Amino acid sequence: MSKKTKHVLVLIAVNVFFILVCFFVLVPVLYAFSVSLNAENSLLGSDFSFLPKHMTLQNYKAVFTEKPVLLWLKNSLILAVSTLVISLGTGIPAAYAFSRKRFPGRKAILKLLILLYAFPSLLSMTALYKLLSPMGLINTRTGLIIVYTGTMAVFALWNMKGYFDTIPVEIEEAAMIDGATQLEQVTKIVLPLAKPTIAVTAMMVLVYVWNEYIFAINFMTGSDTYTLAAGLYSLQATEMSGSWPIFSAASLIVSLPILIVFFALQKNMTEGLTSGGVKG
Amino acid sequence: MARMKNAHGNRQQNKKRRETLFAYSWSLPSLVLILLIVIFPILYTGYISMTNMNIYHWNNYEFIGLENYKDALLVFDNGFLTALFVTILWTVVNMVLQLVIAFIMATLLNVKGLRLRNVYRTLLIFPWAMPGYVSILLWKTGMFNSQFGLLNQWMIRLGMEPVRWLGSDVIAFISCTTVNLWLALPFMITIIDGALQSVDRSFYESALLDGATWLERTRYITVPMIRPIIAPSVMITTFTTFKQFDVIYLLTQQVGSKTGANIHTILTYAYEKAFITNNYGYSSAISILIFGMLLVFSLVTNGRKEERR
């Protein structure tokens, strides 16, 4: 066998391998997709196929008409935007100060932040509950916003500081000589240059709030105060009562924005995460 | 002359003071936020861990010293030590499988002449793009469900008995590992794939001339070359695997729909003690122990990083 035919055979084998792997990787999602489009309730039948014989959008309609999804969406959006505004509003100036200024306590605080970054907020859930409940903040959006901002504040500060470090100081010094004030240096020069990291940090905050379910189900008691994630969680908990097709439709609807964001920002995402501040 | 030096020193000091003032005033809101919402609750958790706070003693709890820590570390039947063992096993198994599988996949993606490689890359990355908890729930109902799950449909079609995939410890551990790999591999493949592309081709050419086999090339060129590049990501993934909560909780232990398997990682253990059996004092002690372990880990890894520089 010549070297060339051998290489062709290897290529065919590799392609077959990847086609199989890709199929198995996508199966859970494809299956949910096909169930969500299936008109007959053929789940229990053994003649299930990936392409439903009778397609319907009934399940998607049911998600919006039978479940309070729009209300959950509203709650999620309010939480996400509030968390975003607070954590970026406080995080950007702090990240700038930690990146540009040298002051006593800086190193110690940065070290402390790394350690805090390792701490899963899940572990202080009891304490947070105990602290928020006398203030009447359990079962309110404010309570969840407080929890989420705390979790994201460390990340936002640390991640953006890492990026600011890579922007050359000389540009600001030149601006300073031209008579720009500190505030002008930041708003006119640093912020435009830092757009990628701000976008990635903002995206991570939004995705976090969009996906967070464990605080939401424990701190929110009524289903009308649920976020999308908590609502979806409550939908699957009743999966046995036969709403699996509706659940899969809802899952895909909830995932869609995240998928779009991910693939739109894929390059930034991987770069922002691997070259950003997380590395230390 | 001396006066001039003094004036200069004063100006320096003034500048320094102004910088400090500026830095603290700009970072104050963020630092206060972190202090109040992150640090204070951790300290408070430490305090709760030394009380007998539980559902009956929600407000009238008493200080009991290190009793909860003793219960966790010295009474084997309480389950913390088992959970810790399972967590370590879970981390090791998952990291080894992840590295090996990701390395093989990334190597195959870089086979010369593979035209569709970008298509495969995009498809393989898909699980990373899905919201994690949605994927886990889809796996639970879509794949593992013992009545209408796809896996059992396939089993029946192949003439085999249906299996309760989450019904007992060992098989649930395997199922959870599968889902965790499904979730985590895209990131690892991306990282290793990127690292492989940065290896200089000429190393391989000279090794080929020397007659090195694929295994030798991998061992003596590829692995040493990509190790420093992937190390930070591997560290981070080890942390996330150790702290994994969603996979095991959502698949096997949701309130009201436990599947029968009784595998706990330390995080699901802490959660169960707090929000299901409502033993807040004990659970807080577990939290502090976990925090302690994570602190030691990150101090060790950060210390190493600084040495390398």
Side-chain angles (χ1 to χ4, degrees):
Chain A
M1 196 163 27
S2 78
K3 216 172 163 187
K4 206 172 170 190
T5 37
K6 204 171 149 197
H7 188 70
V8 169
L9 283 178
V10 167
L11 272 185
I12 292 172
V14 171
N15 275 303
V16 170
F17 171 79
F18 273 120
I19 290 166
L20 285 176
V21 168
C22 287
F23 174 72
F24 280 107
V25 163
L26 295 177
V27 154
V29 181
L30 289 177
Y31 180 58
F33 185 57
S34 117
V35 167
S36 71
L37 287 176
N38 203 334
E40 294 162 74
N41 210 352
S42 64
L43 291 172
L44 300 170
S46 56
D47 59 339
F48 178 80
S49 66
F50 267 104
L51 281 174
K53 287 177 203 97
H54 303 282
M55 299 253 262
T56 175
L57 290 175
Q58 199 56 44
N59 294 318
Y60 287 89
K61 211 178 125 204
V63 170
F64 288 101
T65 52
E66 288 170 26
K67 312 284 173 194
V69 166
L70 292 174
L71 188 64
W72 296 339
L73 175 69
K74 193 184 109 198
N75 289 335
S76 276
L77 285 178
I78 293 175
L79 287 177
V81 171
S82 318
T83 310
L84 183 71
V85 169
I86 300 175
S87 48
L88 285 190
T90 59
I92 293 175
Y96 177 78
F98 274 90
S99 166
R100 288 295 186 261
K101 307 292 171 191
R102 297 293 173 268
F103 51 93
R106 174 179 176 273
K107 274 207 166 143
I109 295 176
L110 283 176
K111 275 211 173 113
L112 183 70
L113 288 179
I114 301 191
L115 297 182
L116 290 178
Y117 192 64
F119 186 80
S121 57
L122 183 67
L123 290 179
S124 46
M125 204 169 183
T126 309
L128 283 166
Y129 194 96
K130 188 79 187 165
L131 290 169
L132 290 177
S133 95
M135 294 188 251
L137 291 174
I138 295 302
N139 208 17
T140 64
R141 288 197 199 110
T142 319
L144 272 190
I145 293 172
I146 290 176
V147 173
Y148 293 165
T149 343
T151 314
M152 287 332 268
V154 179
F155 168 78
L157 170 51
W158 190 239
N159 199 47
M160 292 190 292
K161 182 236 160 218
Y163 193 89
F164 285 163
D165 285 346
T166 65
I167 302 174
V169 185
E170 286 77 12
I171 307 178
E172 285 155 66
E173 283 168 356
M176 199 168 71
I177 293 167
D178 289 347
T181 64
Q182 189 85 55
L183 196 67
E184 279 171 345
Q185 285 173 43
V186 175
T187 50
K188 297 221 174 102
I189 299 164
V190 180
L191 286 189
L193 285 173
K195 253 187 214 150
T197 189
I198 295 173
V200 168
T201 313
M203 240 43 256
M204 298 299 290
V205 174
L206 291 180
V207 168
Y208 168 77
V209 177
W210 192 265
N211 289 345
E212 204 293 322
Y213 67 95
I214 199 84
F215 276 99
I217 55 170
N218 280 299
F219 284 26
M220 295 300 211
T221 46
S223 79
D224 53 335
T225 51
Y226 274 174
T227 59
L228 268 181
L232 199 61
Y233 177 91
S234 72
L235 274 188
Q236 62 86 38
T238 55
E239 152 241 315
M240 282 308 160
S241 56
S243 58
W244 162 225
I246 296 182
F247 170 69
S248 32
S251 304
L252 295 172
I253 294 174
V254 170
S255 307
L256 196 64
I258 304 282
L259 288 172
I260 294 172
V261 163
F262 183 91
F263 284 105
L265 285 182
Q266 192 188 333
K267 218 167 162 254
N268 280 339
M269 282 278 221
T270 37
E271 265 169 29
L273 281 180
T274 51
S275 72
V278 190
K279 247 199 279 184
Chain B
M1 185 72 195
R3 213 190 302 156
M4 250 171 84
K5 217 177 193 176
N6 215 348
H8 182 70
N10 266 341
R11 216 176 305 142
Q12 278 286 29
Q13 235 177 6
N14 268 341
K15 194 180 167 235
K16 184 100 201 150
R17 208 174 298 150
R18 240 181 305 134
E19 285 227 315
T20 308
L21 198 67
F22 172 87
Y24 275 106
S25 56
W26 276 47
S27 50
L28 197 67
S30 174
L31 293 181
V32 168
L33 212 65
I34 292 171
L35 189 70
L36 287 180
I37 316 178
V38 184
I39 299 179
F40 185 64
I42 295 177
L43 297 178
Y44 193 54
T45 306
Y47 171 70
I48 298 175
S49 77
M50 291 189 221
T51 69
N52 65 345
M53 189 192 286
N54 59 35
I55 190 93
Y56 309 108
H57 301 274
W58 176 240
N59 285 319
N60 56 339
Y61 49 85
E62 284 159 22
F63 191 78
I64 56 166
L66 295 175
E67 212 51 46
N68 288 319
Y69 291 90
K70 268 190 222 153
D71 280 351
L73 293 172
L74 302 178
V75 186
F76 190 77
D77 284 346
N78 278 337
F80 174 66
L81 294 172
T82 320
L84 183 58
F85 173 73
V86 171
T87 311
I88 294 171
L89 184 73
W90 160 264
T91 312
V92 172
V93 168
N94 272 285
M95 286 316 292
V96 170
L97 286 175
Q98 243 183 74
L99 286 172
V100 171
I101 298 174
F103 182 77
I104 296 174
M105 300 281 244
T107 312
L108 289 177
L109 276 175
N110 284 294
V111 165
K112 232 195 244 160
L114 191 66
R115 289 244 180 85
L116 292 170
R117 90 178 82 225
N118 283 330
V119 177
Y120 298 140
R121 265 188 201 131
T122 312
L123 290 177
L124 287 177
I125 233 173
F126 199 82
W128 185 9
M130 285 281 287
Y133 76 103
V134 174
S135 306
I136 298 168
L137 295 177
L138 288 180
W139 269 91
K140 185 181 185 221
T141 12
M143 305 300 284
F144 291 139
N145 186 294
S146 35
Q147 292 158 35
F148 54 80
L150 196 59
L151 288 179
N152 274 347
Q153 288 184 33
W154 285 344
M155 295 295 275
I156 292 168
R157 192 125 6 132
L158 292 172
M160 285 186 277
E161 284 291 303
V163 176
R164 294 186 57 226
W165 299 100
L166 301 168
S168 57
D169 292 0
V170 175
I171 190 147
F173 187 89
I174 297 172
S175 303
C176 289
T177 304
T178 311
V179 175
N180 190 54
L181 287 175
W182 187 86
L183 289 167
L185 273 172
F187 175 69
M188 201 49 94
I189 294 175
T190 310
I191 296 294
I192 298 187
D193 187 27
L196 285 180
Q197 281 161 21
S198 70
V199 179
D200 194 344
R201 296 274 137 219
S202 58
F203 285 110
Y204 294 108
E205 278 152 26
S206 49
L208 272 175
L209 285 179
D210 291 343
T213 63
W214 181 82
L215 216 61
E216 282 169 334
R217 273 175 283 149
T218 303
R219 190 170 157 206
Y220 296 109
I221 303 176
T222 318
V223 174
M225 293 287 284
I226 65 171
R227 193 153 52 194
I229 307 175
I230 65 170
S233 310
V234 173
M235 255 4 275
I236 294 169
T237 317
T238 311
F239 264 106
T240 20
T241 315
F242 188 78
K243 292 191 294 191
Q244 182 52 252
F245 173 81
D246 293 340
V247 171
I248 291 164
Y249 173 75
L250 288 176
L251 283 181
T252 67
Q253 321 174 337
Q254 286 180 43
V255 184
S257 61
K258 285 202 163 218
T259 57
N262 193 28
I263 40 173
H264 268 299
T265 59
I266 42 180
L267 242 74
T268 66
Y269 180 77
Y271 180 79
E272 183 178 87
K273 291 300 164 206
F275 283 84
I276 294 160
T277 54
N278 298 317
N279 199 341
Y280 306 110
Y282 181 72
S283 162
S284 298
I286 304 292
S287 297
I288 294 297
L289 286 172
I290 300 174
F291 190 35
M293 282 184 257
L294 292 172
L295 280 190
V296 172
F297 279 164
S298 63
L299 284 178
V300 169
T301 48
N302 280 325
R304 262 175 140 189
K305 222 185 287 165
E306 261 156 40
E307 264 165 44
R308 228 183 23 231
R309 269 181 206 152

